[in-house]
Each structure stands twice: as structure tokens, then as C-alpha cells.
Amino acid sequence: ACFRLLCSLLIPALFLSGILCVCVVVLLWGVRLWIQQRRKQWTSAGKDGKRPLLVAFFHPYCNAGGGGERVLWCAIRTLQKQYRNVTCVVYTGDRDATGEEIVEGAFRRFNIKLTHPVKFVFLEKRYLVEASLYPHFTLLGQSLGSVFLGWEALLKCVPDIYIDSMGYAFTLPLFKYLGGCRVGCYVHYPTISTEMLSVVRSQDTRFNNAAFITNNPLLSKFKLVYYYFFAFMYGLVGSCSDVIMVNSSWTLNHILSLWRAGACTSVVYPPCDVQTFLDIPLEEEKSAAERSIVSVSQFRPEKDHPLQIRAFAKVLKEKRLGQQPPLKLLLIGGCRNQQDEERVNNLRRLCEELGVSNDVKFKINVPFEELKRHLAEATIGLHTMWNEHFGIGVVECMAAGTVILAHNSGGPKLDIVVPHEGHITGFLAENEASYAETMAYILSLSPQERLEIRENARRSVHRFSDQHFEETFLLSVEPLFK
């Protein structure tokens, strides 16, 4: 009787489930056909009768002015030079600027001039990927938000080739399976990493792990389960990409571990405008009225500007500089939004608390020429982000002739601040004390000793040039154009 009852319930349930699955498949297939019909609306055949190939980049913050944006504009310039029958499209949420202003900004900030016009698709729902919208479950919230933002992008323009250039991996299946696109991605930083899992597992307080969670074993265990679930989902969506480019050895290790798609994954170092900085004459230092330490990075929490200010204050407080000229700290970076501006205000307050307001200068969204001048005049280039995925600012500092002091982790440790032909190219540190100690040591070196380090660093950065990026980028994306 029980068996008959079970069968009478199970068989209809399986039948209904089957019907629902078929309906979902038919619906998705219908949506896919409908979306692909929309592709023809965006391009018309050229003089040769061929329709241009639409290559779309998903970059909601394309006007932000950071290293990720330099990769975007160099990638577009590279495709324009290599392929004649290609039209590049950028999905962006920067509705406060026109397309012309965005392109002009790329030239002003990065010295990148495009050879052909770019089409912009302005998205209205960028707020869905803002971290501030998700005070809890931020990773999941932003990832789901990116799916909705990606859907808006797909409805407005259906490309032939889709490249996520900002790390929104959850959009990849959307464009591949519903849009019928060939999909690729350039990963600057894995959305989740094994280090993030270890931070939660060890109940360590970091910028992505609040104290109220670390102090509660139950909440820590729940967050660990959540992170493992998210890592599994992240691996699923990422592995559907046809071409995967990563920016460093550190990122490569994480993506191979999470996405398990080694056959289509390659390292493409981001393009750094090293030649422009290498053109700065490298001379032995002359006596100056003051010396400067320069930091180049966007004002984001993970860049850890407070560490720079505290270490700098420690150097001044302990009077390790002797009778040397006064020392200034220049914090150069981009502000993307009101949150970043508030972060700068908090940093100014920290300077006041530590009594170094007159010794720390903030330079917000500076033009490229001004950036170059500050780097040319600086003695030390400073970088403090833990597990920086790559570090374009680190390369620029080395190319400009500063003595680099970077965080002993991530890209700087594995790829950039490494010995070149057996010679030292810079220094690494981990905390306030080691940063302060190393800054004082660098300043205590003779000008000739510093010059040797600067020369070694300059010789080592050619592998991060625009030309090297173009070559490796084209080799990587070639399967998308076959």
C-alpha cells in the first residue's frame, strides 16, 4: 500500500518536473533566438557586403582611470589595429559623461589614442553592482546584480564576441548561452580566492572580514560555508569562458584552482606605459630642498592607504632621517564616486590625528603629465595593497626611476619586484614597522647605491610594455575570431 502510494505521488511529480524542464528549455531557446535576431539591428553590411564583427567589452566603470581601464583601452586599440572588420563596443554605466569625453579621458590619463571610433552602450542599472547596496552577502549580491546589469547590456546590444574586462564572471553564461556569443574575459582579480577563505577560516580581521564575524565562531563557520558555495558557483560560471586571460602569476594560480580551465587560460601582463616613463632621464640625485615618497593607486579600501600614512608618520616621529631634507608623502589616485571621496576625507582626518597633515599631499585624478612629473621627482615609490593582483602603479614607479617599496605578496612579489639578472630591483614589506624601517633604509643609502637599484628596475620592466601586451593579447583572443 505504501509502495503504491509512493508511486502514485512520485510518477505525477516526475512527469510534471519533466514538463517544466521541457518548458524551461523551450523558453530559453526561444529567448536565445529572439536575442540573436536583435544582433542584426546594431550593424549593417559595409561596402564589401560583410557585416562588421561586433566585439563588446563589459566595463561598467570605464571612465574610472585605474589600471583596469588602461587594459581596456589598450585592448581596444590593439583590436582596431589588427582587425579591419571589427567594431568595438563598451558597456558602461558612466552616464555622467559622453562617449567623446570618455575617449578624451583615456587619452589624457593614459596617453592612449584610438585609431577608430568606439560605440558606447550606456547602462542605467549600474547601481546593482555597487558594494554599498549589499551590506551583507556582498559578493553574492554584486554577482547577481551583474547578471541583471548584463541582461540590460545584452538587450541593448547583442555582440558577436563578448569580453568581460572587469571581473563580472557571472555575466559570461548569459552572453554565451542566451546571446550565442563567443566569450572571453580578462581577470584582474579573482572575485574570491583561497586567501579570502583562509582569512575567514582563521578568524582574521581584514577589510573583507568584519570584527563582529571574527569574534563569533558560529558566524565565522556560516561565512566559511557561504564562501565555499560562492567559490563553487564562481568556478562554474568562469569555466564556460572560451578564452581566459589573467594579469599575473598570482591570479593564474587562483583561476586555475577555481575554474579548472587550464587549456584556455594564459597570463597576459597588463600594458604599462613604460616607454613614456623610461624616457625620463635617469640621473644621479642632486641635493633638493625636499624629497618625496609617491603612492599611485585608486582610493579603494584594499589599497590600504592608512598603512602608508601610519608608516610614513612612524618614520617622521622616530626622526630616522637625521639632517636630511624634509620628506613629503604624495598620495596620487583616482576617485570613482562619493564613497572614494569620503575615503579621502577619512585619510585626511587620519593625517591630522597623526600630526602629519602638512607632510602629506593628496593629488586626485591628476593628468598624465602631472603624474609623470611627480614620479620623476620622487625618491621612493610606495605600494601597500595585500595580494595586489598585479600592480601597474608599481611598474610605473620602477620605470620612472623611483626606488619601489611594495607589499610582499601577490603580483609585486611573484612577477614585478623580483631580481633581474641577479640584481635587486626594489624592496618588499608587510606591516607598519617593516615599511617604516625599509623607507628609512632606502633614504639612508647613498645616491649612487639608489641609482644602481633604479637602473636594475628600469631594465626589468620591458616585459610589461604596451608592445608585449599587444602580442600576448592577440595570441590569447585569436580563438574568438576563428
Side-chain angles (χ1 to χ4, degrees):
C2 288
F3 179 72
R4 277 201 216 99
L5 179 63
L6 191 62
C7 286
S8 65
L9 293 173
L10 191 59
I11 291 171
L14 289 172
F15 182 71
L16 283 172
S17 298
I19 291 175
L20 282 173
C21 285
V22 170
C23 289
V24 168
V25 169
V26 170
L27 178 64
L28 290 176
W29 186 254
V31 170
R32 177 186 165 102
L33 290 175
W34 173 67
I35 287 174
Q36 289 185 7
Q37 285 296 316
R38 296 172 66 91
R39 178 180 285 132
K40 297 172 185 175
Q41 299 175 11
W42 250 74
T43 54
S44 55
K47 294 178 182 177
D48 57 0
K50 291 183 179 179
R51 190 178 65 84
L53 203 63
L54 271 186
V55 181
F57 290 83
F58 190 76
H59 210 104
Y61 296 90
C62 74
N63 205 29
E69 287 66 60
R70 189 168 209 289
V71 171
L72 169 71
W73 300 118
C74 275
I76 290 174
R77 182 179 63 184
T78 302
L79 292 181
Q80 288 182 343
K81 286 198 290 187
Q82 178 70 13
Y83 298 101
R84 293 193 176 188
N85 198 38
V86 157
T87 297
C88 290
V89 177
V90 177
Y91 298 116
T92 178
D94 293 301
R95 294 187 297 148
D96 56 345
T98 64
E100 291 78 10
E101 288 170 341
I102 293 172
V103 170
E104 173 58 30
F107 176 66
R108 186 170 52 86
R109 291 171 185 160
F110 306 121
N111 200 29
I112 294 172
K113 194 158 186 69
L114 302 178
T115 55
H116 299 290
V118 172
K119 292 187 176 182
F120 289 90
V121 175
F122 291 94
L123 306 175
E124 298 175 13
K125 297 182 175 60
R126 189 177 70 179
Y127 64 89
L128 291 174
V129 296
E130 294 276 0
S132 57
L133 193 63
Y134 312 100
H136 307 295
F137 301 100
T138 310
L139 291 180
L140 188 60
Q142 285 184 290
S143 297
L144 292 176
S146 73
V147 175
F148 287 100
L149 188 63
W151 177 248
E152 180 193 348
L154 186 57
L155 289 183
K156 287 186 173 179
C157 171
V158 186
D160 299 290
I161 296 171
Y162 170 80
I163 299 175
D164 164 42
S165 52
M166 209 177 166
Y168 293 108
F170 281 74
T171 62
L172 294 168
L174 186 70
F175 279 82
K176 182 168 185 174
Y177 299 117
L178 287 185
C181 312
R182 283 159 278 172
V183 300
C185 60
Y186 188 97
V187 184
H188 297 275
Y189 196 85
T191 305
I192 192 165
S193 66
T194 52
E195 270 90 354
M196 290 168 70
L197 293 169
S198 67
V199 163
V200 178
R201 195 185 300 112
S202 61
Q203 293 180 249
D204 187 5
T205 304
R206 291 283 176 98
F207 71 87
N208 62 338
N209 198 35
F212 78 91
I213 291 176
T214 62
N215 295 332
N216 188 313
L218 187 63
L219 283 179
S220 285
K221 284 185 174 60
F222 178 78
K223 184 167 184 177
L224 191 60
V225 171
Y226 158 59
Y227 266 26
Y228 272 114
F229 168 75
F230 184 83
F232 172 73
M233 294 300 296
Y234 183 59
L236 277 184
V237 298
S239 62
C240 79
S241 188
D242 300 309
V243 165
I244 301 164
M245 294 167 281
V246 298
N247 65 344
S248 68
S249 303
W250 182 86
T251 308
L252 175 70
N253 294 334
H254 286 285
I255 291 300
L256 288 178
S257 170
L258 293 163
W259 291 10
R260 303 184 186 280
C264 58
T265 306
S266 57
V267 175
V268 178
Y269 287 130
C272 308
D273 193 7
V274 293
Q275 193 54 53
T276 300
F277 293 104
L278 290 171
D279 288 341
I280 299 169
L282 191 62
E283 300 169 352
E284 191 168 317
E285 300 164 31
K286 298 170 184 172
S287 57
E290 66 176 33
R291 289 185 296 178
S292 62
I293 297 172
V294 170
S295 160
V296 182
S297 59
Q298 286 183 311
F299 289 100
R300 305 203 309 252
E302 62 270 26
K303 297 297 183 180
D304 207 352
H305 288 90
L307 173 57
Q308 299 179 4
I309 295 168
R310 288 196 299 270
F312 176 73
K314 191 176 181 70
V315 172
L316 295 185
K317 184 180 179 182
E318 295 181 5
K319 295 183 172 62
R320 300 187 185 195
L321 306 178
Q323 300 301 313
Q324 296 176 6
L327 191 64
K328 297 289 181 184
L329 173 62
L330 295 181
L331 300 179
I332 302 174
C335 277
R336 302 164 298 172
N337 48 39
Q338 193 173 348
Q339 283 180 305
D340 287 355
E341 289 168 11
E342 182 57 37
R343 205 165 284 120
V344 170
N345 292 333
N346 290 336
L347 292 173
R348 292 185 195 275
R349 284 191 282 272
L350 176 62
C351 292
E352 290 173 10
E353 290 169 17
L354 297 173
V356 293
S357 292
N358 294 331
D359 305 297
V360 180
K361 305 294 180 188
F362 291 83
K363 303 288 182 178
I364 316 295
N365 297 330
V366 300
F368 183 77
E369 287 303 315
E370 187 179 342
L371 166 67
K372 197 165 77 167
R373 178 169 55 81
H374 287 307
L375 285 177
E377 295 170 354
T379 303
I380 298 174
L382 192 59
H383 162 275
T384 47
M385 179 177 167
W386 171 70
N387 273 335
E388 171 80 82
H389 34 90
F390 179 72
I392 286 180
V394 175
V395 174
E396 290 177 342
C397 285
M398 291 167 72
T402 69
V403 178
I404 191 67
L405 173 55
H407 200 282
N408 188 28
S409 63
K413 178 183 180 180
L414 295 175
D415 293 310
I416 306 173
V417 191
V418 295
H420 177 68
E421 297 177 354
H423 300 291
I424 187 172
T425 59
F427 298 88
L428 299 168
E430 293 181 3
N431 51 41
E432 184 182 323
S434 61
Y435 268 100
E437 185 180 335
T438 311
M439 274 190 265
Y441 172 73
I442 294 169
L443 293 166
S444 72
L445 295 172
S446 69
Q448 181 57 39
E449 288 172 318
R450 281 197 293 267
L451 182 62
E452 286 180 20
I453 297 170
R454 294 158 66 205
E455 287 174 339
N456 294 334
R458 276 196 153 189
R459 282 192 289 267
S460 75
V461 298
H462 287 285
R463 65 193 189 280
F464 306 124
S465 65
D466 283 4
Q467 184 181 353
H468 189 263
F469 168 82
E470 289 179 3
E471 292 167 0
T472 52
F473 178 77
L474 287 173
L475 276 174
S476 297
V477 299
E478 192 178 356
L480 298 177
F481 291 85
K482 287 181 176 175

